[in-house]
Amino acid sequence: MIDAIIFDFGDVFINLDKQKIDSEFRKLGLTEWHADLDALNKQYELGKIDELTYMQGFQKHIPNADLVSIRSAWNSILADFPLYRLEFLQMIASKYRLFLLSNTDHTHIEKFEHNEGLTFARDFYSCFEKVYFSYEIHLRKPEEDAFKFVINNHNLNPKKTLFIDDKKENTDVAKKLGLLVWNLEVGKEDVVDLFSKKFSF
């Protein structure tokens, strides 16, 4: 019997537009995602560097772009957050222990709260017993320690805990740690389909 659910954020609740961010950066002159940009992004998601350092790191690859344009391009990945998903979450919040575990950064969270409004964001956060953003806890998926951090902090029983994420590398690690997992297929499945899945609720 499941009594706790750990959710991812991007492409589970808020839709992401990966084509948009790609096209926006191409407009600024970035032809490909470099390995050092990947490393830079991980540093930012872990809260090890601040926003200015992150944007300046991008600027090294697109020197003709100003920092405001780079920040705008970075935030262009954030699409809509359908209200029905929040309503679904509110419906189940009193029945299960809910947690959010997201690889994200300060810039994206600030933009989400601005786009949707603080009331919407507050309503969303209040559904969870605890919200964990990678840049705040300095841990990110698929590191085992990120999952153990949540499990140990709340004395969760992995066998009674469901983890929902759109990235297989994340659900694979969670499964290895004994959690039940749903590797949600973006575009084919929606988090509100949860109870049509073959889990023991």
PDB file of all heavy atoms in Angstrom, residues 27 42 52 62 64 66 68 78 87 89-90 93 96 118-120 138 161 182-183 189 201:
ATOM      1  N   LYS A  27      19.129  31.588 -31.878  1.00  0.00           N
ATOM      2  CA  LYS A  27      18.994  33.000 -32.289  1.00  0.00           C
ATOM      3  C   LYS A  27      20.122  33.857 -31.705  1.00  0.00           C
ATOM      4  O   LYS A  27      20.536  34.854 -32.299  1.00  0.00           O
ATOM      5  CB  LYS A  27      17.643  33.567 -31.821  1.00  0.00           C
ATOM      6  CG  LYS A  27      16.446  33.062 -32.604  1.00  0.00           C
ATOM      7  CD  LYS A  27      15.180  33.656 -31.993  1.00  0.00           C
ATOM      8  CE  LYS A  27      13.933  32.984 -32.526  1.00  0.00           C
ATOM      9  NZ  LYS A  27      12.722  33.451 -31.803  1.00  0.00           N
ATOM     10  N   LYS A  42      25.012  21.890 -14.239  1.00  0.00           N
ATOM     11  CA  LYS A  42      24.966  21.043 -13.035  1.00  0.00           C
ATOM     12  C   LYS A  42      25.423  21.823 -11.808  1.00  0.00           C
ATOM     13  O   LYS A  42      24.868  21.678 -10.724  1.00  0.00           O
ATOM     14  CB  LYS A  42      25.811  19.788 -13.238  1.00  0.00           C
ATOM     15  CG  LYS A  42      25.128  18.770 -14.137  1.00  0.00           C
ATOM     16  CD  LYS A  42      25.993  17.563 -14.423  1.00  0.00           C
ATOM     17  CE  LYS A  42      25.247  16.606 -15.361  1.00  0.00           C
ATOM     18  NZ  LYS A  42      26.113  15.496 -15.816  1.00  0.00           N
ATOM     19  N   LEU A  52      24.457  35.158 -11.871  1.00  0.00           N
ATOM     20  CA  LEU A  52      25.335  35.980 -12.706  1.00  0.00           C
ATOM     21  C   LEU A  52      26.485  35.144 -13.278  1.00  0.00           C
ATOM     22  O   LEU A  52      26.791  35.229 -14.475  1.00  0.00           O
ATOM     23  CB  LEU A  52      25.894  37.154 -11.895  1.00  0.00           C
ATOM     24  CG  LEU A  52      26.835  38.102 -12.654  1.00  0.00           C
ATOM     25  CD1 LEU A  52      26.138  38.733 -13.865  1.00  0.00           C
ATOM     26  CD2 LEU A  52      27.386  39.178 -11.726  1.00  0.00           C
ATOM     27  N   ILE A  62      28.515  32.699 -26.422  1.00  0.00           N
ATOM     28  CA  ILE A  62      27.732  33.596 -27.289  1.00  0.00           C
ATOM     29  C   ILE A  62      28.034  35.041 -26.883  1.00  0.00           C
ATOM     30  O   ILE A  62      27.187  35.738 -26.313  1.00  0.00           O
ATOM     31  CB  ILE A  62      26.213  33.289 -27.217  1.00  0.00           C
ATOM     32  CG1 ILE A  62      25.757  32.924 -25.774  1.00  0.00           C
ATOM     33  CG2 ILE A  62      25.834  32.181 -28.184  1.00  0.00           C
ATOM     34  CD1 ILE A  62      24.281  32.665 -25.635  1.00  0.00           C
ATOM     35  N   ASN A  64      28.181  37.834 -28.259  1.00  0.00           N
ATOM     36  CA  ASN A  64      27.403  38.959 -28.787  1.00  0.00           C
ATOM     37  C   ASN A  64      26.045  39.111 -28.093  1.00  0.00           C
ATOM     38  O   ASN A  64      25.307  40.054 -28.366  1.00  0.00           O
ATOM     39  CB  ASN A  64      27.197  38.818 -30.296  1.00  0.00           C
ATOM     40  CG  ASN A  64      28.507  38.951 -31.065  1.00  0.00           C
ATOM     41  OD1 ASN A  64      29.383  39.709 -30.660  1.00  0.00           O
ATOM     42  ND2 ASN A  64      28.644  38.208 -32.144  1.00  0.00           N
ATOM     43  N   ASP A  66      23.644  39.715 -24.789  1.00  0.00           N
ATOM     44  CA  ASP A  66      23.718  40.332 -23.459  1.00  0.00           C
ATOM     45  C   ASP A  66      23.089  39.401 -22.419  1.00  0.00           C
ATOM     46  O   ASP A  66      22.364  38.459 -22.751  1.00  0.00           O
ATOM     47  CB  ASP A  66      23.021  41.703 -23.460  1.00  0.00           C
ATOM     48  CG  ASP A  66      21.544  41.609 -23.805  1.00  0.00           C
ATOM     49  OD1 ASP A  66      20.757  41.214 -22.927  1.00  0.00           O
ATOM     50  OD2 ASP A  66      21.183  41.916 -24.954  1.00  0.00           O
ATOM     51  N   VAL A  68      20.737  39.782 -20.216  1.00  0.00           N
ATOM     52  CA  VAL A  68      19.268  39.783 -20.141  1.00  0.00           C
ATOM     53  C   VAL A  68      18.675  38.842 -21.197  1.00  0.00           C
ATOM     54  O   VAL A  68      17.749  38.070 -20.921  1.00  0.00           O
ATOM     55  CB  VAL A  68      18.704  41.212 -20.311  1.00  0.00           C
ATOM     56  CG1 VAL A  68      17.176  41.183 -20.398  1.00  0.00           C
ATOM     57  CG2 VAL A  68      19.146  42.104 -19.165  1.00  0.00           C
ATOM     58  N   LEU A  78      10.301  27.153 -19.977  1.00  0.00           N
ATOM     59  CA  LEU A  78       9.129  27.019 -19.106  1.00  0.00           C
ATOM     60  C   LEU A  78       7.854  27.355 -19.879  1.00  0.00           C
ATOM     61  O   LEU A  78       7.673  28.477 -20.332  1.00  0.00           O
ATOM     62  CB  LEU A  78       9.259  27.944 -17.896  1.00  0.00           C
ATOM     63  CG  LEU A  78      10.479  27.709 -16.997  1.00  0.00           C
ATOM     64  CD1 LEU A  78      10.503  28.730 -15.866  1.00  0.00           C
ATOM     65  CD2 LEU A  78      10.493  26.295 -16.436  1.00  0.00           C
ATOM     66  N   GLU A  87      -5.241  20.994  -9.348  1.00  0.00           N
ATOM     67  CA  GLU A  87      -6.484  20.517  -8.727  1.00  0.00           C
ATOM     68  C   GLU A  87      -6.382  19.033  -8.380  1.00  0.00           C
ATOM     69  O   GLU A  87      -6.878  18.594  -7.330  1.00  0.00           O
ATOM     70  CB  GLU A  87      -7.659  20.779  -9.664  1.00  0.00           C
ATOM     71  CG  GLU A  87      -7.979  22.267  -9.810  1.00  0.00           C
ATOM     72  CD  GLU A  87      -8.999  22.559 -10.894  1.00  0.00           C
ATOM     73  OE1 GLU A  87      -9.219  21.709 -11.775  1.00  0.00           O
ATOM     74  OE2 GLU A  87      -9.582  23.671 -10.857  1.00  0.00           O
ATOM     75  N   LEU A  89      -3.592  17.472  -7.638  1.00  0.00           N
ATOM     76  CA  LEU A  89      -2.689  17.411  -6.503  1.00  0.00           C
ATOM     77  C   LEU A  89      -3.417  17.774  -5.212  1.00  0.00           C
ATOM     78  O   LEU A  89      -3.245  17.118  -4.173  1.00  0.00           O
ATOM     79  CB  LEU A  89      -1.524  18.379  -6.744  1.00  0.00           C
ATOM     80  CG  LEU A  89      -0.232  18.188  -5.959  1.00  0.00           C
ATOM     81  CD1 LEU A  89       0.350  16.803  -6.204  1.00  0.00           C
ATOM     82  CD2 LEU A  89       0.771  19.258  -6.342  1.00  0.00           C
ATOM     83  N   GLN A  90      -4.235  18.810  -5.275  1.00  0.00           N
ATOM     84  CA  GLN A  90      -4.998  19.238  -4.095  1.00  0.00           C
ATOM     85  C   GLN A  90      -5.969  18.147  -3.649  1.00  0.00           C
ATOM     86  O   GLN A  90      -6.213  17.977  -2.454  1.00  0.00           O
ATOM     87  CB  GLN A  90      -5.750  20.533  -4.401  1.00  0.00           C
ATOM     88  CG  GLN A  90      -4.828  21.739  -4.554  1.00  0.00           C
ATOM     89  CD  GLN A  90      -5.532  22.978  -5.081  1.00  0.00           C
ATOM     90  OE1 GLN A  90      -6.443  22.878  -5.899  1.00  0.00           O
ATOM     91  NE2 GLN A  90      -5.109  24.154  -4.620  1.00  0.00           N
ATOM     92  N   ALA A  93      -3.811  15.453  -1.785  1.00  0.00           N
ATOM     93  CA  ALA A  93      -2.882  15.934  -0.754  1.00  0.00           C
ATOM     94  C   ALA A  93      -3.226  15.465   0.657  1.00  0.00           C
ATOM     95  O   ALA A  93      -2.336  15.283   1.489  1.00  0.00           O
ATOM     96  CB  ALA A  93      -2.799  17.454  -0.784  1.00  0.00           C
ATOM     97  N   TYR A  96      -2.252  11.251   0.956  1.00  0.00           N
ATOM     98  CA  TYR A  96      -0.889  10.717   0.893  1.00  0.00           C
ATOM     99  C   TYR A  96       0.109  11.755   1.387  1.00  0.00           C
ATOM    100  O   TYR A  96      -0.168  12.956   1.358  1.00  0.00           O
ATOM    101  CB  TYR A  96      -0.528  10.331  -0.557  1.00  0.00           C
ATOM    102  CG  TYR A  96      -1.476   9.348  -1.173  1.00  0.00           C
ATOM    103  CD1 TYR A  96      -2.546   9.793  -1.951  1.00  0.00           C
ATOM    104  CD2 TYR A  96      -1.332   7.983  -0.958  1.00  0.00           C
ATOM    105  CE1 TYR A  96      -3.442   8.900  -2.501  1.00  0.00           C
ATOM    106  CE2 TYR A  96      -2.227   7.076  -1.507  1.00  0.00           C
ATOM    107  CZ  TYR A  96      -3.282   7.539  -2.283  1.00  0.00           C
ATOM    108  OH  TYR A  96      -4.169   6.653  -2.821  1.00  0.00           O
ATOM    109  N   LEU A 118       2.203  34.296  -7.400  1.00  0.00           N
ATOM    110  CA  LEU A 118       2.586  33.761  -6.094  1.00  0.00           C
ATOM    111  C   LEU A 118       1.470  32.963  -5.435  1.00  0.00           C
ATOM    112  O   LEU A 118       1.732  32.010  -4.713  1.00  0.00           O
ATOM    113  CB  LEU A 118       3.038  34.900  -5.170  1.00  0.00           C
ATOM    114  CG  LEU A 118       4.451  35.434  -5.444  1.00  0.00           C
ATOM    115  CD1 LEU A 118       4.757  36.617  -4.545  1.00  0.00           C
ATOM    116  CD2 LEU A 118       5.496  34.340  -5.260  1.00  0.00           C
ATOM    117  N   THR A 119       0.223  33.328  -5.694  1.00  0.00           N
ATOM    118  CA  THR A 119      -0.900  32.588  -5.099  1.00  0.00           C
ATOM    119  C   THR A 119      -0.944  31.167  -5.643  1.00  0.00           C
ATOM    120  O   THR A 119      -1.079  30.196  -4.884  1.00  0.00           O
ATOM    121  CB  THR A 119      -2.242  33.299  -5.386  1.00  0.00           C
ATOM    122  OG1 THR A 119      -2.195  34.610  -4.836  1.00  0.00           O
ATOM    123  CG2 THR A 119      -3.405  32.534  -4.767  1.00  0.00           C
ATOM    124  N   PHE A 120      -0.800  31.029  -6.960  1.00  0.00           N
ATOM    125  CA  PHE A 120      -0.780  29.708  -7.598  1.00  0.00           C
ATOM    126  C   PHE A 120       0.400  28.897  -7.067  1.00  0.00           C
ATOM    127  O   PHE A 120       0.240  27.729  -6.686  1.00  0.00           O
ATOM    128  CB  PHE A 120      -0.667  29.861  -9.117  1.00  0.00           C
ATOM    129  CG  PHE A 120      -0.763  28.568  -9.888  1.00  0.00           C
ATOM    130  CD1 PHE A 120      -1.957  28.178 -10.482  1.00  0.00           C
ATOM    131  CD2 PHE A 120       0.357  27.752 -10.038  1.00  0.00           C
ATOM    132  CE1 PHE A 120      -2.032  26.986 -11.198  1.00  0.00           C
ATOM    133  CE2 PHE A 120       0.286  26.555 -10.746  1.00  0.00           C
ATOM    134  CZ  PHE A 120      -0.916  26.173 -11.334  1.00  0.00           C
ATOM    135  N   HIS A 138      21.605  21.146  -2.557  1.00  0.00           N
ATOM    136  CA  HIS A 138      22.939  20.835  -3.102  1.00  0.00           C
ATOM    137  C   HIS A 138      23.098  19.354  -3.453  1.00  0.00           C
ATOM    138  O   HIS A 138      24.189  18.794  -3.341  1.00  0.00           O
ATOM    139  CB  HIS A 138      24.038  21.289  -2.131  1.00  0.00           C
ATOM    140  CG  HIS A 138      23.850  22.695  -1.638  1.00  0.00           C
ATOM    141  ND1 HIS A 138      23.807  23.781  -2.504  1.00  0.00           N
ATOM    142  CD2 HIS A 138      23.647  23.189  -0.390  1.00  0.00           C
ATOM    143  CE1 HIS A 138      23.617  24.881  -1.792  1.00  0.00           C
ATOM    144  NE2 HIS A 138      23.500  24.555  -0.515  1.00  0.00           N
ATOM    145  N   THR A 161       6.615   3.845  -1.019  1.00  0.00           N
ATOM    146  CA  THR A 161       6.824   5.181  -1.591  1.00  0.00           C
ATOM    147  C   THR A 161       6.925   5.098  -3.110  1.00  0.00           C
ATOM    148  O   THR A 161       7.697   4.306  -3.643  1.00  0.00           O
ATOM    149  CB  THR A 161       8.107   5.823  -1.029  1.00  0.00           C
ATOM    150  OG1 THR A 161       8.014   5.883   0.401  1.00  0.00           O
ATOM    151  CG2 THR A 161       8.295   7.232  -1.576  1.00  0.00           C
ATOM    152  N   TRP A 182       7.282   5.289 -11.402  1.00  0.00           N
ATOM    153  CA  TRP A 182       6.539   5.504 -12.646  1.00  0.00           C
ATOM    154  C   TRP A 182       7.376   6.437 -13.504  1.00  0.00           C
ATOM    155  O   TRP A 182       7.544   7.608 -13.176  1.00  0.00           O
ATOM    156  CB  TRP A 182       5.169   6.121 -12.362  1.00  0.00           C
ATOM    157  CG  TRP A 182       4.381   6.494 -13.592  1.00  0.00           C
ATOM    158  CD1 TRP A 182       4.593   6.068 -14.881  1.00  0.00           C
ATOM    159  CD2 TRP A 182       3.239   7.365 -13.665  1.00  0.00           C
ATOM    160  NE1 TRP A 182       3.666   6.617 -15.744  1.00  0.00           N
ATOM    161  CE2 TRP A 182       2.815   7.419 -15.014  1.00  0.00           C
ATOM    162  CE3 TRP A 182       2.529   8.106 -12.712  1.00  0.00           C
ATOM    163  CZ2 TRP A 182       1.741   8.192 -15.435  1.00  0.00           C
ATOM    164  CZ3 TRP A 182       1.456   8.860 -13.125  1.00  0.00           C
ATOM    165  CH2 TRP A 182       1.056   8.895 -14.476  1.00  0.00           C
ATOM    166  N   ASN A 183       7.925   5.880 -14.575  1.00  0.00           N
ATOM    167  CA  ASN A 183       8.680   6.683 -15.538  1.00  0.00           C
ATOM    168  C   ASN A 183       7.664   7.237 -16.544  1.00  0.00           C
ATOM    169  O   ASN A 183       7.331   6.601 -17.528  1.00  0.00           O
ATOM    170  CB  ASN A 183       9.736   5.814 -16.236  1.00  0.00           C
ATOM    171  CG  ASN A 183      10.558   6.569 -17.265  1.00  0.00           C
ATOM    172  OD1 ASN A 183      11.028   5.998 -18.225  1.00  0.00           O
ATOM    173  ND2 ASN A 183      10.723   7.868 -17.078  1.00  0.00           N
ATOM    174  N   GLU A 189       1.464  10.329 -21.520  1.00  0.00           N
ATOM    175  CA  GLU A 189       0.850  10.136 -20.209  1.00  0.00           C
ATOM    176  C   GLU A 189       0.790  11.477 -19.472  1.00  0.00           C
ATOM    177  O   GLU A 189       1.519  12.400 -19.807  1.00  0.00           O
ATOM    178  CB  GLU A 189       1.663   9.139 -19.376  1.00  0.00           C
ATOM    179  CG  GLU A 189       1.766   7.750 -19.992  1.00  0.00           C
ATOM    180  CD  GLU A 189       2.681   6.831 -19.196  1.00  0.00           C
ATOM    181  OE1 GLU A 189       3.823   7.231 -18.900  1.00  0.00           O
ATOM    182  OE2 GLU A 189       2.247   5.708 -18.879  1.00  0.00           O
ATOM    183  N   PHE A 201      -2.858   1.258  -4.245  1.00  0.00           N
ATOM    184  CA  PHE A 201      -3.202   2.447  -3.461  1.00  0.00           C
ATOM    185  C   PHE A 201      -4.192   2.092  -2.349  1.00  0.00           C
ATOM    186  O   PHE A 201      -4.959   1.179  -2.473  1.00  0.00           O
ATOM    187  CB  PHE A 201      -3.806   3.528  -4.356  1.00  0.00           C
ATOM    188  CG  PHE A 201      -2.794   4.172  -5.272  1.00  0.00           C
ATOM    189  CD1 PHE A 201      -2.717   3.809  -6.603  1.00  0.00           C
ATOM    190  CD2 PHE A 201      -1.916   5.127  -4.792  1.00  0.00           C
ATOM    191  CE1 PHE A 201      -1.791   4.405  -7.455  1.00  0.00           C
ATOM    192  CE2 PHE A 201      -0.993   5.728  -5.622  1.00  0.00           C
ATOM    193  CZ  PHE A 201      -0.927   5.358  -6.970  1.00  0.00           C
TER     194      PHE A 201
END
